[in-house]
Amino acid sequence: MRPVRLRSGSRAAALLTAVTATATALALTAIGPAAPAAAAPAGATSPQPGDACTTADLGTRHPYIKTTEVSPTITHFKGWYVTEGTTGEQAVTTTTETTIKVSVGLDDKIEASFAVDALNKAGVSVGLSVKMESSTTSTESNAVTWNFNQPGYYGVYKGTKKVTGTYGSINCNRAQQTDGSWALRWAEGPGSGSFTTYTTLEEGAVRCQDQVPAGSVMAEAQTLLDCGSPAARAAHPAGAVAPTAKQRRDSPARTVAPAARPEAAARAALDCQSAVYKIEVPGKPLSWGAPLLANDGVRLRPSSIFSAHLDNWRLCNVTENDGVLEATLWNWGNGGCATIAEPDASTERAILTTASCVEDDLQRFYIYRDVPGSTSIGVQNKYTGSMMGHDRYADGEFIRQYSSGRQDGTGTYHLTGV
């Protein structure tokens, strides 16, 4: 008879059914997937490239999934030999084989709405319920309690379906139509990257002679068992079996840290346009005001004769690609450039500030524009991919970054010439 599981610490563990072996039939076992395959609700219909957008959308962005791949992956494993007289319930401490960490782009702290939305869409696209928060399989308990009621060579495992792929982002920007007119359309933005997530872990025990579904986590564990090895064929005392050569070759768990961002170069020599602008809240008297103090940030401030040009900005080192401007925002009042501080680059709602102007993508911004004749814009940091906005309309309110922008339209501003 096949082993029957009595209990487990994982709610998503598979159930093995005991089947009596006969002289003419092999013991067959089926294992179900980890938890229902229904993905989390997708929510409102997401815009697609080419769809119409509105002025309020200029300060927002959305992810879309380009490619996906699902692969069964063993995260914990132990070769285990059960002899006559040692069958029954046993707790097997497995060894970590592969560590999977949830990540979107270079960020493994899944706190921002854009990252959560991207993982949700990834789960929907493959029809699986996936992790959508900061998580790693290394934190999963590696003990598996199983009832072994047949002697033999077993692979005791925990595993999951690893979901990887690439994503892009779409932003609202003006586009010229075939008749020469202009309209606002969702278009692919510059932000893109790769993601990694996984389904709930399942666990079990498998023998070489078991027939298992192809492409399943159980089949992956059976492959790792290396059934052609001497360890699989030899008589062995009960308990752990030394790893085979294949297991030693395949099993080292490594995580690769993302490459560090290059250090900023020396002070940049900027090529600034002569025009001077205010970045205003539409229809309101408050606009972006740069700080006087180094430890302060860009805030909404009223413009007056006492503003000392802190509300005046120039666009520098301007380029344009597919209708999207890219520029450094230089402040006339303090001589600094708008930036997100490097330690806060991955932080949702990090404050926009100014610093000495250098060659640094943290000081570069994409500007999405309304149709000609309108001064409405949305502003996106090049390095972080986040949109600029504010929590509420109030004197002294900080300008902050939001990974998906402000969905209430408060990330749309007016670039008004002075």
Side-chain angles (χ1 to χ4, degrees), residues 356-412:
S356 297
C357 300
V358 292
E359 293 290 341
D360 189 336
D361 282 347
L362 282 167
Q363 295 187 2
R364 297 290 286 172
F365 293 85
Y366 297 115
I367 299 175
Y368 300 94
R369 294 171 290 175
D370 200 354
V371 298
S374 169
T375 59
S376 295
I377 61 167
V379 183
Q380 178 184 28
N381 185 267
K382 180 177 182 178
Y383 181 74
T384 69
S386 293
M387 310 298 295
M388 300 300 110
H390 54 272
D391 280 344
R392 75 182 196 278
Y393 178 76
D395 186 357
E397 183 69 15
F398 283 117
I399 302 300
R400 303 176 183 270
Q401 69 168 3
Y402 303 84
S403 59
S404 294
R406 297 288 293 170
Q407 301 301 317
D408 60 0
T410 52
T412 295

Side-chain angles (χ1 to χ4, degrees), residues 123-318:
V124 170
S125 68
V126 296
L128 294 171
S129 180
V130 300
K131 298 284 186 180
M132 292 188 292
E133 67 279 344
S134 301
S135 183
T136 173
T137 57
S138 64
T139 61
E140 300 281 351
S141 170
N142 65 349
V144 177
T145 300
W146 209 260
N147 186 51
F148 301 92
N149 54 20
Q150 283 283 320
Y153 178 46
Y154 289 86
V156 182
Y157 68 90
K158 286 190 175 184
T160 185
K161 291 181 175 66
K162 181 180 179 181
V163 182
T164 58
T166 58
Y167 66 89
S169 67
I170 57 174
N171 294 77
C172 182
N173 193 45
R174 68 186 187 184
Q176 192 164 24
Q177 309 301 293
T178 55
D179 62 358
S181 64
W182 293 83
L184 286 176
R185 300 289 182 190
W186 289 106
E188 182 169 356
S192 63
S194 60
F195 64 85
T196 299
T197 185
Y198 60 95
T199 62
T200 306
L201 264 65
E202 60 180 86
E203 65 183 44
V206 63
R207 299 179 300 172
C208 293
Q209 62 266 41
D210 294 332
Q211 295 185 12
V212 299
S216 64
V217 173
M218 192 178 189
E220 192 72 11
Q222 192 180 58
T223 299
L224 191 57
L225 191 57
D226 200 4
C227 294
S229 70
R233 300 189 300 267
H236 195 284
V241 176
T244 66
K246 175 177 174 58
Q247 292 165 21
R248 287 193 298 270
R249 182 176 67 252
D250 295 346
S251 68
R254 297 186 179 94
T255 54
V256 180
R261 191 173 64 87
E263 291 297 321
R267 179 184 295 270
L270 298 176
D271 177 17
C272 296
Q273 297 179 348
S274 59
V276 180
Y277 298 96
K278 291 180 182 179
I279 305 175
E280 299 178 312
V281 177
K284 304 286 186 179
L286 301 183
S287 63
W288 290 20
L292 277 174
L293 304 177
N295 60 350
D296 199 3
V298 177
R299 299 173 182 264
L300 292 180
R301 293 294 192 191
S303 295
S304 71
I305 60 173
F306 304 107
S307 297
H309 294 300
L310 291 172
D311 57 345
N312 292 166
W313 302 84
R314 280 195 170 120
L315 305 184
C316 306
N317 296 352
V318 180

